[in-house]
């Protein structure tokens, strides 16, 4: 008979499993409405997202990323799914005026906050945002796949005050990758967009 198991006591896996179970237990209480308990038990929850000034109510899996919610459930496909690991920047959106990677943000965490996507950047009459126009003027794209994320980051760079010099633009846009390597034109576009945003 091998007594090593008894000598070691509970395994690390068992201890972690028990701890996780105790941590999750308070999430569903007897006081919660039956419908909410049913949703939580099924892994789904009702979410209201405020996107580009409009509220959307959807029932989503609690693990749904903001990017998947936008693309698959709201049909707002401007934000692109590139690496889906937070490395390429193609999914960049704004939450409360700050840029975030929507592939790494849970949709449930974005409730009650103002979300802006590339679809909401232009004016309601169709007039392009100065940064959108600048990317066109300077041909700051080739295949165009990364362009929505580039533009959303560029607008945020200007708003954050991180677009004063070309070096600063390169540094604060470095989280957005362009596989076509249109970087010099992107810098030119950000510079023009910055100037027009400040004038307008």
């Amino acid at each position: 008979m091998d007594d090593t198991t008894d000598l070691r006591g509970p395994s690390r896996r068992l201890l972690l499993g028990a701890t996780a179970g105790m941590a999750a237990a308070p999430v569903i209480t007897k006081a919660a409405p039956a419908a909410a308990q049913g949703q939580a038990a099924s892994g789904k929850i009702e979410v209201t997202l405020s996107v580009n000034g409009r509220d959307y109510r959807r029932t989503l899996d609690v693990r749904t990323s903001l990017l998947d919610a936008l693309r698959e459930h709201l049909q707002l496909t401007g934000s692109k799914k590139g690496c889906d690991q937070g490395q390429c920047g193609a999914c960049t959106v704004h939450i409360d005026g700050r840029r975030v990677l929507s592939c790494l943000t849970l949709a449930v965490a974005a409730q009650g906050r103002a979300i802006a996507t590339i679809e909401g950047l232009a004016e309601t009459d169709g007039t392009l945002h100065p940064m959108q126009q600048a990317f066109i003027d300077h041909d700051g794209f080739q295949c165009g796949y990364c362009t929505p994320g580039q533009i959303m980051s560029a607008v945020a760079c200007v708003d954050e005050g991180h677009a004063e010099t070309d070096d600063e633009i390169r540094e604060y846009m470095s989280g957005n990758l362009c596989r076509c390597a249109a970087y010099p034109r992107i810098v030119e576009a950000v510079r023009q967009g910055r100037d027009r945003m400040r004038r307008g």
Side-chain angles (χ1 to χ4, degrees):
M1 177 176 158
D2 185 357
D3 294 326
T4 54
T5 303
D6 295 333
L7 293 174
R8 284 198 308 261
S11 70
R12 182 170 179 260
R13 181 177 295 167
L14 181 62
L15 184 60
L16 289 175
T19 304
M22 287 187 293
V27 173
I28 301 174
T29 65
K30 290 182 179 178
Q37 287 187 31
Q39 282 187 330
S42 70
K44 295 186 180 294
I45 190 168
E46 191 172 273
V47 176
T48 301
L49 298 174
S50 178
V51 185
N52 302 324
R54 177 181 167 189
D55 286 344
Y56 297 84
R57 180 173 291 178
R58 297 289 187 274
T59 299
L60 303 175
D61 188 293
V62 294
R63 300 163 296 180
T64 303
S65 70
L66 178 57
L67 176 61
D68 285 342
L70 292 170
R71 291 181 58 81
E72 305 299 329
H73 298 274
L74 306 187
Q75 284 69 56
L76 295 172
T77 56
S79 305
K80 303 305 182 191
K81 181 176 281 197
C83 66
D84 208 24
Q85 297 177 9
Q87 296 178 359
C88 72
C91 67
T92 303
V93 299
H94 297 171
I95 295 183
D96 293 338
R98 299 180 59 127
R99 55 183 159 166
V100 300
L101 299 171
S102 59
C103 75
L104 296 183
T105 305
L106 289 175
V108 294
Q111 289 194 101
R113 303 171 72 183
I115 304 163
T117 69
I118 192 71
E119 289 92 346
L121 211 54
E123 299 292 335
T124 53
D125 65 0
T127 302
L128 294 179
H129 186 280
M131 194 62 75
Q132 290 175 303
Q133 188 61 55
F135 268 72
I136 293 171
D137 293 347
H138 289 277
D139 196 21
F141 52 88
Q142 288 184 34
C143 79
Y145 195 81
C146 72
T147 306
Q150 296 276 2
I151 291 173
M152 295 303 286
S153 266
V155 170
C157 275
V158 174
D159 290 342
E160 293 163 4
H162 296 312
E164 300 307 311
T165 66
D166 287 1
D167 284 344
E168 195 172 33
I169 291 170
R170 291 186 192 97
E171 174 67 24
Y172 284 91
M173 289 290 292
S174 63
N176 290 79
L177 304 182
C178 173
R179 292 179 176 89
C180 302
Y183 296 114
R185 294 179 180 181
I186 289 171
V187 172
E188 293 171 5
V190 175
R191 200 165 53 224
Q192 175 183 304
R194 172 200 67 198
D195 294 344
R196 291 187 177 176
M197 285 171 67
R198 289 176 177 173
R199 286 201 302 266

